[in-house]
Amino acid sequence: MAAIARAARPLRSSVLSSPAPPTLRSLARAQASHIKPVTGKESTRTFRSSALVQEKKYTQDHEWIELSDDGSTGTIGISTYAAKALGDVVYVELPTADLEVNAGDSIGAVESVKSASDIMTPVSGKIIEANNVLEEKPGTINKGPEGEGWIARIR
């Protein structure tokens, strides 16, 4: 019973009031509070990004679409993450030209030694071209999924 009484005893106030260990955020705030602003001639820092980064969009299913310079056509493919997750690609089912599709429709499939995955189109439109290189060399997707390994072009 004495052991139960000791375990049920409230903690000392010094234990409850001890400070929590510092977090990364609290350390950053403390360091930032000691930074003094630059006086005199200040430079403005600008950020730049390439046009490709602004035009390429990704879906939650790891497909991407990159708009052409004029914005009338888009190139569809799978992300580098998806290509690595699939492993060695052994077969690619490509869409046919002049195929009308809606956003979310399956336009083909990628099969690897591990698994197979459908390729969904992120936008509605008409398929105008498929990457026929992938029929002969499906491993091109593993080498450059966001470059030479594109799947189809859509308008």
Side-chain angles (χ1 to χ4, degrees), residues 12-26:
R12 294 180 304 189
S13 62
S14 64
V15 172
L16 295 175
S17 63
S18 64
T23 62
L24 187 58
R25 183 173 287 169
S26 65

Side-chain angles (χ1 to χ4, degrees), residues 45-119:
R45 183 173 180 176
T46 60
F47 294 94
R48 292 185 181 195
S49 62
S50 71
L52 293 177
V53 172
Q54 294 174 351
E55 293 175 359
K56 193 176 276 191
K57 306 289 183 194
Y58 295 86
T59 68
Q60 291 179 346
D61 297 325
H62 304 289
E63 285 98 9
W64 56 265
I65 184 166
E66 182 177 15
L67 298 177
S68 63
D69 291 335
D70 62 359
S72 65
T73 62
T75 305
I76 299 171
I78 65 170
S79 68
T80 304
Y81 175 83
K84 287 181 180 178
L86 281 169
D88 294 332
V89 175
V90 294
Y91 177 73
V92 179
E93 180 185 337
L94 297 172
T96 58
D98 298 328
L99 177 67
E100 291 283 338
V101 293
N102 293 319
D105 286 351
S106 176
I107 59 169
V110 178
E111 295 180 16
S112 70
V113 293
K114 291 183 184 178
S115 65
S117 180
D118 287 332
I119 303 164

